[in-house]
Amino acid sequence: MSEPAETATRTQRFNEAVRDFKLPSPSRHAKLMPLKDGIVELRQKGASLRLIRELLATVDVAVGTDTIARFLAEVNGEQPPHRSSKRSRRRRAAVPVPIAAPPTTTPTPRPSPSKSTPTPNTAAPSERPRVRGPRIADPHNL
């Protein structure tokens, strides 16, 4: 068990730490603010975000190109670029959008699928429509 004197010193040290506590810089871009003029000037001269990132890395400021873009948008008073995940962009690009065919007036009869004989997929793999789910290798093309 701790003695009352030991508890009192712990409490006193904690209270001192609370009084001395200072919040980190309130700005989201605290590392970039001192370098704001140089970053803006580089961008006005046509420097790419990647080049700016590399120049910042030489002065030990490690940030990404997205962070620099958001910083520049905030400094210039513009709307920051829309952030979308790379995964959703890739999925949208991989799934082709079917072209709407003109509606037919008479429905075409379809034969009922037989459970005993599967229908062979004769279309080339690149021509088959992509369905959701994992990509599975076609054993006929291996």
Side-chain angles (χ1 to χ4, degrees):
M1 294 260 167
S2 59
E3 299 176 19
E6 188 177 324
T7 304
T9 57
R10 276 194 207 141
T11 305
Q12 182 182 4
R13 284 193 345 231
F14 178 75
N15 290 337
E16 287 174 13
V18 169
R19 277 189 300 257
D20 295 338
F21 176 76
K22 293 178 184 169
L23 275 175
S25 178
S27 174
R28 294 179 352 161
H29 308 291
K31 293 180 189 177
L32 299 177
M33 276 305 191
L35 308 168
K36 175 179 85 171
D37 296 331
I39 294 170
V40 170
E41 183 179 344
L42 281 169
R43 194 63 177 159
Q44 287 173 346
K45 289 182 177 180
S48 68
L49 296 175
R50 183 176 292 151
L51 177 66
I52 295 171
R53 184 192 69 199
E54 291 171 3
L55 288 172
L56 289 170
T58 62
V59 292
D60 296 327
V61 177
V63 293
T65 54
D66 291 339
T67 304
I68 296 168
R70 286 191 303 272
F71 171 75
L72 286 167
E74 186 177 299
V75 166
N76 294 334
E78 302 169 1
Q79 284 285 11
H82 178 68
R83 296 175 69 189
S84 65
S85 68
K86 292 177 184 173
R87 184 175 188 167
S88 66
R89 240 183 291 147
R90 187 175 11 182
R91 178 172 289 146
R92 271 187 247 120
V95 178
V97 177
I99 299 172
T104 57
T105 55
T106 59
T108 57
R110 292 187 182 185
S112 61
S114 156
K115 291 186 181 181
S116 61
T117 59
T119 58
N121 212 350
T122 57
S126 62
E127 296 172 4
R128 282 188 233 146
R130 173 88 192 273
V131 294
R132 291 213 179 265
R135 293 183 182 182
I136 300 174
D138 185 8
H140 300 291
N141 292 333
L142 292 177

